[in-house]
Amino acid sequence: MSLATAYWEQFICRMDDGRITLPELAGSFHFGGQEEATSIAKLVVSGIKIATGSLLWVYEEENRSIPLIGEYNIITDSEDRPVCIIQTTALSVIPFDEVEDQFAFDCGEGDRTLESWRHMYLEYIQSECTRIGRTFTPEIPMVCEYFKVVYKEPPAWSNRSE
């Protein structure tokens, strides 16, 4: 059993009171590159990071659906260990050059300004465009997603004494 599956089962066991319909897991992933995943996960758990952006073209290239409002995902750290579970609460697709200050602030990284967000995301977008064989334009479609942390208990196996 993968760590993500074990963490999801831990979450479900905590939720299962017999009165609610249990949710399904959409997937697990980390924010940013592998090296910064742990630091970004800490921003999520603390409630500083409540939004994220991704490139619509990547979803299209990989034949994947964009996130759905209400879906659950496990966020992992740099070592692919589960850190928390989030639920998507809002979603919009807008051009990169129309992203607003509030969204940049809610992404929670850097100094939380639009200028800082554009600088950080431009690097990410350009690398993704290169990977999928597309060319960056300021109007590139961004999937702007809001989420909330619904579970952030440590994995049960991390509490065991060795």
Side-chain angles (χ1 to χ4, degrees):
M1 175 185 311
S2 74
L3 294 179
T5 301
Y7 193 65
W8 182 251
E9 288 181 3
Q10 176 182 316
F11 169 62
I12 292 299
C13 286
R14 299 276 183 344
M15 284 186 61
D16 189 7
D17 65 3
R19 294 177 291 155
I20 60 171
T21 303
L22 298 175
E24 291 186 30
L25 176 64
S28 68
F29 63 90
H30 58 81
F31 288 110
Q34 197 75 31
E35 57 282 347
E36 63 259 0
T38 297
S39 61
I40 298 173
K42 288 177 183 177
L43 296 174
V44 173
V45 169
S46 70
I48 293 171
K49 180 174 183 62
I50 60 170
T52 193
S54 52
L55 188 56
L56 179 62
W57 292 348
V58 170
Y59 291 99
E60 294 169 348
E61 178 67 26
E62 295 174 354
N63 200 28
R64 293 185 298 133
S65 299
I66 62 173
L68 299 172
I69 294 173
E71 79 177 18
Y72 292 81
N73 283 282
I74 294 174
I75 303 306
T76 59
D77 65 12
S78 296
E79 295 178 21
D80 292 323
R81 295 178 303 217
V83 175
C84 66
I85 297 174
I86 62 170
Q87 182 181 30
T88 301
T89 58
L91 193 79
S92 59
V93 178
I94 59 173
F96 176 78
D97 61 353
E98 291 181 24
V99 169
E100 296 180 349
D101 292 321
Q102 188 63 53
F103 183 77
F105 182 83
D106 293 339
C107 282
E109 297 169 64
D111 65 8
R112 301 179 81 177
T113 63
L114 183 57
E115 181 180 344
S116 173
W117 181 89
R118 284 193 172 141
H119 178 74
M120 285 187 300
Y121 271 76
L122 185 58
E123 188 176 310
Y124 153 74
I125 291 167
Q126 288 175 329
S127 70
E128 287 292 271
C129 283
T130 299
R131 184 176 70 81
I132 63 172
R134 302 284 298 258
T135 303
F136 171 80
T137 69
E139 300 82 25
I140 197 164
M142 296 293 301
V143 176
C144 297
E145 177 184 359
Y146 276 88
F147 56 83
K148 65 180 178 181
V149 174
V150 296
Y151 188 72
K152 59 183 177 181
E153 296 300 317
W157 60 89
S158 69
N159 294 332
R160 296 183 189 138
S161 31
E162 309 275 338

